[in-house]
Amino acid sequence: MPRYTAPVDEVLFLLNDVFQIARYDNLPGFADASSDVTAAILGEAAKFCEEVLQPLNQTGDSEGCTRHPDGRVTTPPGFKEAYRRLIEGGWLGLSAPTAYGGQGLPATLTAVVNEFLCSANMAFSMYPGLVQGAVAALLLHGDEQQKATYLPKMISGEWAGTMNLTEPHCGTDLGLLRTKAVKQADGSYRLSGTKIFISGGEQDLTENIVHLVLARIEGAPEGTKGISLFVVPKILVDADGSLGERNGVSCGSIEHKMGIHGNSTCVMNYDNAVGWLVGEENRGLAAMFTMMNEARLGVGIQGLALSEVAYQNAVAYAKERLQGRALSGAKFADKPADPIIVHPDVRRTLMSIRAFNEAARALVLWTALKGDVAHRSEDEAERQAADDHMGLLTPVIKGVLTDRGFANTVAAQQMFGGHGYIAETGMEQFVRDARISMIYEGANGIQALDLVGRKLPRDGGRAVMAFFNEVQTYIAERTDDAVMKAYVAPLATALGHLQQATMWFMQNAIGKPDNAGAGSHDYMHLFGLVALGYMWCRIVEAARGKQAAQGNDGDAQLDAKLVTARFFMERMLPETAVQLARIKAGADAVMSLPAEAF
Amino acid sequence: MPRYTAPVDEVLFLLNDVFQIARYDNLPGFADASSDVTAAILGEAAKFCEEVLQPLNQTGDSEGCTRHPDGRVTTPPGFKEAYRRLIEGGWLGLSAPTAYGGQGLPATLTAVVNEFLCSANMAFSMYPGLVQGAVAALLLHGDEQQKATYLPKMISGEWAGTMNLTEPHCGTDLGLLRTKAVKQADGSYRLSGTKIFISGGEQDLTENIVHLVLARIEGAPEGTKGISLFVVPKILVDADGSLGERNGVSCGSIEHKMGIHGNSTCVMNYDNAVGWLVGEENRGLAAMFTMMNEARLGVGIQGLALSEVAYQNAVAYAKERLQGRALSGAKFADKPADPIIVHPDVRRTLMSIRAFNEAARALVLWTALKGDVAHRSEDEAERQAADDHMGLLTPVIKGVLTDRGFANTVAAQQMFGGHGYIAETGMEQFVRDARISMIYEGANGIQALDLVGRKLPRDGGRAVMAFFNEVQTYIAERTDDAVMKAYVAPLATALGHLQQATMWFMQNAIGKPDNAGAGSHDYMHLFGLVALGYMWCRIVEAARGKQAAQGNDGDAQLDAKLVTARFFMERMLPETAVQLARIKAGADAVMSLPAEAF
């Protein structure tokens, strides 16, 4: 049976010591989240995740969701009751505006809670996750009536939400989509078409589901410029807010998939369904994109979350499983064998995952804080800088954290030998569940292209220059620090590789965009390593500061930070050299085979 | 629905042009395998795999195996009939000795056929695969009566075979095993104990199953020096060769696993089962190890096989799926979108898999040929050199081909976007099936340790020196070749890294073995890249030779070899520099955290 303990202390260290969240107290909602309050909230979230959600994770996988002949979908046993408790705990409204019944606390806290929820039970966590996405879209683009109608019920958790983008023939290329919307005399629309891969499209957890749907209004331009966003409730809402008639939307089937079996992935049929335009006509894609940063940050968090829970289980097994003897001589001569954590290759694996997890969590929180600044600051320059950061780092976090997060679940599974391949230990479920995070909300190849093709050149490179400047300044100010230079020197080398790669694109990809495409994957991962390396430097500095303040009395967890950072610098960061070499190799060998030769 | 076409032409190019198999005609059985005969055999194997086995692959996964209350196990629908056709085709005896009813053809051909079988249906292919392993063990260590009793029926395919090593508390560390054997007055033994993870331990394909079982004879020394090997038939064989009574061995349960659902993974209970000693008392582990090379080569082939079939399906999808436009401008303006194969990141993915597959197949065939030399040559020096090669390359092939093969199935699945996560396309099955190859027959961490700790130092480094010498000589002889130098120069760099890493171990790991353990994973992969790079040079040279002989008339497949080799040299081989850096970082950061800090 797998286990999970939410890393509350680790989060508090990051929030209080590394990022000093108290400095943000001028932002709305932040003063309410004092250190004590935050600790209490996270403690409650941890308890809910560990005691309620985690025990439902394996059964949710083995039981899955069921679609009944009448189109109803039931979620796995226990999910309904757990969802009720989620609602009661107010977890859906933690960071939502108080005007609609939310608690208005920093969205950064929601990012933390989302990690815990996902580690405990990814399939379950996607139900509230999608609600958050739909709430964000309505907040940004809905009119006052739409907000008043839907938001309070969604923020309380009574109603769920979904995002309907994909159709059988179009995923990444939404310009191809065919779902039709026909305008009615009363200003509403009638939608017809088929959407696929709709997470939580139908379920038995909530009394209503608010579908956000991309469709093409009759007569709209072809391609991406003719797409509009609509709100289509499963059950129509009467003027007094009570539930009325069933709308013309139903679940045609649910998919048999590799993992996240506890989440219903639906084919949704829209058959003359009543919907209302959200935002402007033909501006639906833009509306989607403004909420994409948060959604993609959420998926990056899933990569981290599964890496974390897989790591915890691998550590526990490595300490318990007796097999073989340490290369340097038996460590537990009284036992029939040593625990496998004595073996360097087991250590190497665990250290690799740990060195990723801790820095990835820092990167998520750093970026989530920027998100709060971007949405809540009264200073426009501050908002813009934070928004630049979000835009730049979002594809990096989504792509790198899910690629590496998945790889880490595989590595953690490997620690179990044959037992890891058996469903009972739960390790193979982490692998299957984590796999989707590399695919949805824009497959990782698209993230890389978004980074290189859109985010780098945007506003004359303002965002990337600001990032380089911050890291470079940080390094320069610490080069003379006897301890810190061991960490900032390798970071400087890696940053140099990233800057060279950026320069190479500027010189070689404008005239030949295939050079950007061929290097985009490596560039995204190179960027990720530099960002994680920077996080490690900041973690080390905060740990040293705390050690100094505590009188350096050998706090094992703080000592461990320095060792883990060294491991990262010695064994993970050096990959940037190869990534740069691959980028500079350009597109020739990649593109020169004719398609028929494949 | 996934598809598969066995790469017959590719294999014939490797056998005839790259390795010039005709040069081996002095070995027994090789002259019978003329180029025409080989082509005909592989054509038949391809047909069987494509038409009979591949169509059963998805249903085998979804239906799985069933254990009935009486202990019987039924395999998925269609498997029994397919097995009958496998037997009728004589595929189990292709390379087996003619003395026991085999065809005596090169084992290299069996390696090829095993790749095809596994690409078509991995779960099915494991049933005959395990028979091959058991046949090899009996051929090497059985006495004349055992051989006469079991081999003809196993080689014809009428009886199956299994290997019983693992117990609940011991996998890698077999010294801990507890299954007991008690000697009887008639020279037989009675075995009692529980074995787990026994592939094909019970099934409905054959009338008898010949279990090879590791157990400890009463009073034997503790640890690995007290383990003996036994043959334990499911149904006892009477003196006249007919089937007699049921033996005391039964299937207690079958495992629920991540993949290979069509193969029954059994818990086997031995309850006073009658068995006979194979080889000498207390020399069971040595007996297992002498057949390990072939079994591990077979698992390496599985990594290649799933990489190949996943690649073929990803290519087909990339040519069909219309989504987006080429970065350099629309390629098919008449269609609603371009096929995704125009995108550089899709190409990069496909080229990476292809560049692995072709060189990995070469590495397998090169090593399989060495295996034939080691077993069939009359020249002792030749046999020893070939055996050295086998011993050295086996952990590399097992570890590297399965690590990369699995990663390639993940990359191929990624090409499908969300559709790759759905069972229907079959891509997620390849991922789940491939995953086990990294674990069984010695988890890949053990392969790395075997390479570094055992194979490198053996006989004063004779095997590794011979390998270095061969590659170095090959490079030196081509440095002045205007075309070849583009390929041998990067290989020389990579070989230099491998030699430096080897030297570093000699200088740093003898006194501190953790330095070897901490670098073993990277060393194995560094070795693999050098071996694959060497294969690419030989492929390029053979392709050029064939182009010259054909008058260089632009054979697209031969041209593609040169491009793919360039891709490998530019984008995959450079990783050796980072691997060397990690190895030289040593064990300090890996090992210095106390176990409690995890």
Side-chain angles (χ1 to χ4, degrees), chain A residues 171 173 323-324 413 421 435, chain B residues 171 173 323-324 413 421 432 435:
Chain A
D173 189 354
Q323 208 78 181
Q413 179 192 25
Y421 199 67
R435 183 65 184 87
Chain B
D173 189 353
Q323 206 80 179
Q413 180 191 22
Y421 198 67
R432 289 185 291 104
R435 183 66 186 87

Side-chain angles (χ1 to χ4, degrees), chain B residues 152-167:
Chain B
K153 294 282 195 181
M154 294 171 80
I155 286 169
S156 72
E158 289 162 271
W159 297 355
T162 71
M163 306 298 307
N164 291 240
L165 285 71
T166 306
E167 299 180 6

Side-chain angles (χ1 to χ4, degrees), chain A residues 417-440:
Chain A
H419 298 276
Y421 199 67
I422 306 298
E424 192 183 353
T425 58
M427 300 305 289
E428 59 93 35
Q429 185 189 345
F430 298 140
V431 175
R432 288 185 291 104
D433 286 354
R435 183 65 184 87
I436 190 60
S437 65
M438 297 160 69
I439 297 174
Y440 61 18

Side-chain angles (χ1 to χ4, degrees), chain B residues 245-256:
Chain B
E245 275 179 59
R246 189 75 158 76
N247 202 352
V249 49
S250 61
C251 168
S253 62
I254 57 178
E255 305 284 1
H256 299 279

Side-chain angles (χ1 to χ4, degrees), chain B residues 454-477:
Chain B
R454 201 179 321 206
K455 299 300 173 58
L456 282 192
R458 180 180 279 180
D459 302 313
R462 191 177 67 204
V464 71
M465 288 308 158
F467 177 83
F468 288 169
N469 192 46
E470 172 168 347
V471 180
Q472 209 151 20
T473 305
Y474 181 92
I475 293 167
E477 289 172 359

